[in-house]
């Protein structure tokens, strides 16, 4: 596993998204309750990223509650709804348009914590953006070094 010590930005972010769309099976985004509901549980209908979710809808495979995926996926660390999407080049294009870096995936501008899963459903690229925690769960031989020039990454 590799830990990211700095954000993946610009061209490196775009190459990472392209690489993930080729290698991963699915990706997930989280909508945490605290970002979309007030203290009375009333949902904010003017969520800034509603248009992005609509654009990603053709790729949507399933939605999950916190209780369903807690302890299975790193994205489920607090109450919310978690969306699983099929990886496809068109979906990758939307992700690249929506954000310019991996750690940009934070509320209120965007859904939280873009992350990717392999064909076995295991977390492959882990991202907890508001904490600036990123990990790549891959073997050394599979690590795409050419994607990450000038980044502070070490194997853990």
């Amino acid at each position: 596993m590799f830990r990211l010590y700095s954000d993946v930005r610009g061209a490196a972010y775009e190459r990472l998204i392209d690489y993930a769309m080729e290698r991963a099976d699915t990706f997930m985004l989280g909508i945490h309750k605290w970002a979309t509901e007030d203290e009375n549980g009333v949902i904010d209908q003017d969520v800034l990223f509603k248009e992005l979710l609509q654009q990603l809808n053709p790729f949507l495979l399933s939605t999950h509650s916190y209780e369903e995926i807690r302890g299975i996926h790193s994205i489920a660390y607090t109450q919310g709804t978690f969306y699983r999407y099929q990886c496809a080049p068109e979906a990758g294009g939307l992700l690249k348009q929506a954000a310019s870096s991996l750690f940009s995936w934070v509320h209120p501008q965007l859904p939280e914590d873009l992350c990717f899963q392999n064909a076995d459903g295991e977390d492959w690229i882990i991202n907890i953006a508001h904490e600036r925690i990123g990990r790549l769960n891959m073997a050394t031989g599979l690590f795409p070094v050419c994607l990450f020039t000038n980044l502070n990454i070490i194997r853990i």
Side-chain angles (χ1 to χ4, degrees):
M1 183 176 295
F2 296 87
R3 181 176 292 161
L4 302 175
Y5 282 98
S6 60
D7 198 0
V8 181
R9 301 179 168 277
Y13 169 73
E14 291 184 5
R15 289 192 303 267
L16 176 65
I17 296 299
D18 291 340
Y19 184 79
M21 288 298 153
E22 292 174 8
R23 301 283 195 281
D25 192 54
T26 61
F27 66 94
M28 294 180 78
L29 293 168
I31 312 295
H32 298 291
K33 279 188 158 189
W34 56 265
T36 58
E37 295 181 13
D38 67 15
E39 63 277 355
N40 298 316
V42 176
I43 297 174
D44 179 3
Q45 295 300 321
D46 296 322
V47 174
L48 295 174
F49 45 80
K50 188 188 305 185
E51 183 179 338
L52 174 62
L53 294 179
Q54 290 171 345
Q55 292 172 330
L56 288 170
N57 210 35
F59 309 100
L60 182 64
L61 297 173
S62 57
T63 59
H64 303 274
S65 69
Y66 168 75
E67 291 78 14
E68 289 177 277
I69 64 171
R70 175 183 55 179
I72 299 170
H73 295 289
S74 62
I75 195 171
Y77 53 82
T78 189
Q79 294 289 329
T81 303
F82 304 92
Y83 299 83
R84 181 185 302 277
Y85 298 94
Q86 183 66 53
C87 285
E90 299 83 5
L94 293 170
L95 298 178
K96 291 187 289 187
Q97 285 176 353
S100 61
S101 75
L102 190 61
F103 293 159
S104 293
W105 290 93
V106 293
H107 296 320
Q109 297 301 114
L110 292 168
E112 291 265 319
D113 303 334
L114 171 65
C115 59
F116 294 85
Q117 296 76 41
N118 63 23
D120 294 329
E122 298 169 342
D123 286 340
W124 182 62
I125 297 177
I126 298 163
N127 176 29
I128 303 174
H130 72 279
E131 296 283 347
R132 302 184 65 76
I133 295 171
R135 293 197 174 121
L136 308 173
N137 190 14
M138 59 182 72
T140 304
L142 300 176
F143 184 65
V145 175
C146 61
L147 295 178
F148 302 109
T149 56
N150 301 323
L151 286 181
N152 187 9
I153 301 172
I154 69 164
R155 188 166 191 266
I156 56 174

